[in-house]
Amino acid sequence: MQIRNGLRMLAHPGQLYEAFTRSQLYRSVIRNPWPTNARTRALAVMGSVFLHLQPTRTRPEAIKITYTWGLGGISFLFFLILTLTGVLLMFYYVPQVPLAYQNMLDLQGSVSFGQLMRNMHRWAAHGMVIVVFLHMCRVFYTGSYRPPREFNRIVGVILLVLTFLLSFTGYLLPWDQLSYWAVTVGTNMVGSTPFLGGLVQFLLLGDKTVGQNTLIRFYTLHVIALPLLLSLFLSVHFWRIRKDGFSRGL
Ligand code: HEM
C-alpha cells in the first residue's frame, strides 16, 4: 500500500514536493514560510542566525558606499581569506628552525597552487593592515566614535592592535634573513621600553636571541591565540554595530 502511494506521488512531483515540505525533516530546517508580510519577514529575520546579525533598522543613506567605503567589510573579507589560506598553509609548514625555510621553498616549487596560496596569504595580510587602518580613519573622519559608539571604538582599537600583532608574528615564520632581522629589531625595540621591556622581550623570544623558542612562540600566537582573540573581539564589534546601528544621520 505504502509503495503504491509512494509511486503515485512520484507520478505527481507537485504532491511529492508538498509531502516533503510538510515533513518533520524539512520543517526542522526551514521553520518559517516564505515571508510575504511584515510579520513573516520579522519571523524570518529572528529565526536566522545570519539575518539576525544585521541591525534591526538601517537607513539607506547609512550604508551608502561613499559613507563607509565598505572598509570594515573589506577588512573582514581579508580576515576570511587569511583564515582559509592560513589553514591550507598549515598542512605544509613545520615550525622548526632546520625545516621552516625549506618548507616555504618546497611549498612554492612542488605543491600545486602553493605559490598562489602563499602569495594570497601575504598580500591579504598587507591588505588587512592597510584597510583596517583606513577603516579607523573613516570612523574618525565621520565622527562615528562619538557616543553611543565609544565602546565599539575601543573594541576597534583592540582589533587594530591584534591585526598588527598577527602581521608581526607571521613575519617570522618564513625564517629567511628578512624575517629574522625584522623580528630581532622589533623585539629589541620592545626590550628598550622602560621597566617591563626586558621581561616582555624575554617572554616573546623565550631566549636571549631569536631562535627555535621564538619560532614556536610566534607560530602558536600566530595560528591559535591571536586569531581566536581577533574572532572574539570581532563578534563583539559586529554585535555592537547591530545594537548601536550605523552612525549616519544620528
Ligand atoms: C579587524 C578589524 C576590523 C573589522 C573587520 C571591522 C569591521 C567593521 C564593519 C564590517 C563595520 C560596519 C560598517 C563599515 O564597513 O564601516 C564596522 C563599523 C565600525 N567600526 Fe570597525 N572593524 C575593524 C576595526 C575597527 C577599528 C580599528 C576601529 C576604530 C578604532 C573600528 C571602529 C568601528 C566603529 C566605531 C564602527 C561603527 C561605524 C558607524 O556606525 O558608522 N573598527 N567595523
Side-chain angles (χ1 to χ4, degrees):
M1 181 65 179
Q2 269 186 341
I3 295 175
R4 200 178 314 144
N5 278 348
L7 284 175
R8 205 178 299 138
M9 276 197 209
L10 273 184
H12 301 283
Q15 271 178 322
L16 185 65
Y17 176 74
E18 224 171 86
F20 176 61
T21 51
R22 263 190 275 116
S23 69
Q24 184 66 32
L25 174 73
Y26 180 87
R27 281 189 295 152
S28 68
V29 181
I30 312 286
R31 286 161 189 271
N32 301 301
W34 184 257
T36 47
N37 54 39
R39 189 176 170 278
T40 45
R41 264 201 296 277
L43 276 176
V45 168
M46 279 187 284
S48 155
V49 66
F50 297 109
L51 294 177
H52 201 66
L53 292 177
Q54 313 290 328
T56 29
R57 264 186 290 165
T58 307
R59 288 169 305 283
E61 69 271 19
I63 44 172
K64 247 179 115 180
I65 197 71
T66 47
Y67 185 68
T68 65
W69 296 103
L71 293 167
I74 299 172
S75 312
F76 184 55
L77 178 68
F78 277 134
F79 177 64
L80 291 181
I81 295 174
L82 284 163
T83 309
L84 186 74
T85 52
V87 169
L88 292 175
L89 287 172
M90 281 174 76
F91 290 153
Y92 302 99
Y93 179 81
V94 181
Q96 275 183 19
V97 168
L99 296 177
Y101 180 63
Q102 191 56 44
N103 277 176
M104 285 291 113
L105 296 184
D106 291 346
L107 180 79
Q108 286 177 195
S110 330
V111 176
S112 316
F113 301 108
Q115 172 111 356
L116 177 71
M117 204 162 42
R118 188 178 173 206
N119 283 347
M120 277 178 74
H121 197 76
R122 206 175 175 96
W123 284 105
H126 293 325
M128 184 163 165
V129 170
I130 295 167
V131 175
V132 171
F133 182 74
L134 291 177
H135 171 58
M136 186 183 67
C137 296
R138 191 285 289 178
V139 166
F140 177 71
Y141 179 66
T142 55
S144 309
Y145 52 83
R146 285 193 295 248
R149 293 178 191 76
E150 66 275 52
F151 174 71
N152 213 13
R153 185 206 32 183
I154 294 169
V155 174
V157 174
I158 296 174
L159 286 172
L160 180 75
V161 173
L162 287 172
T163 307
F164 287 161
L165 287 177
L166 270 163
S167 172
F168 184 60
T169 48
Y171 209 76
L172 181 68
L173 304 185
W175 202 253
D176 52 14
Q177 285 293 312
L178 195 63
S179 50
Y180 182 89
W181 291 108
V183 171
T184 302
V185 172
T187 47
N188 277 342
M189 283 163 71
V190 173
S192 314
T193 313
F195 306 116
L196 286 177
L199 181 69
V200 177
Q201 183 185 20
F202 186 72
L203 275 178
L204 276 175
L205 295 181
D207 206 338
K208 292 216 162 49
T209 54
V210 176
Q212 177 60 59
N213 290 351
T214 322
L215 185 58
I216 196 69
R217 279 174 194 218
F218 273 45
Y219 179 73
T220 313
L221 286 171
H222 187 75
V223 304
I224 301 176
L226 294 171
L228 276 181
L229 274 177
L230 195 107
S231 309
L232 182 78
F233 281 99
L234 262 187
S235 319
V236 179
H237 197 57
F238 291 161
W239 172 72
R240 274 321 318 167
I241 297 167
R242 188 194 181 292
K243 290 286 169 194
D244 299 335
F246 286 116
S247 59
R248 183 146 198 209
L250 290 180

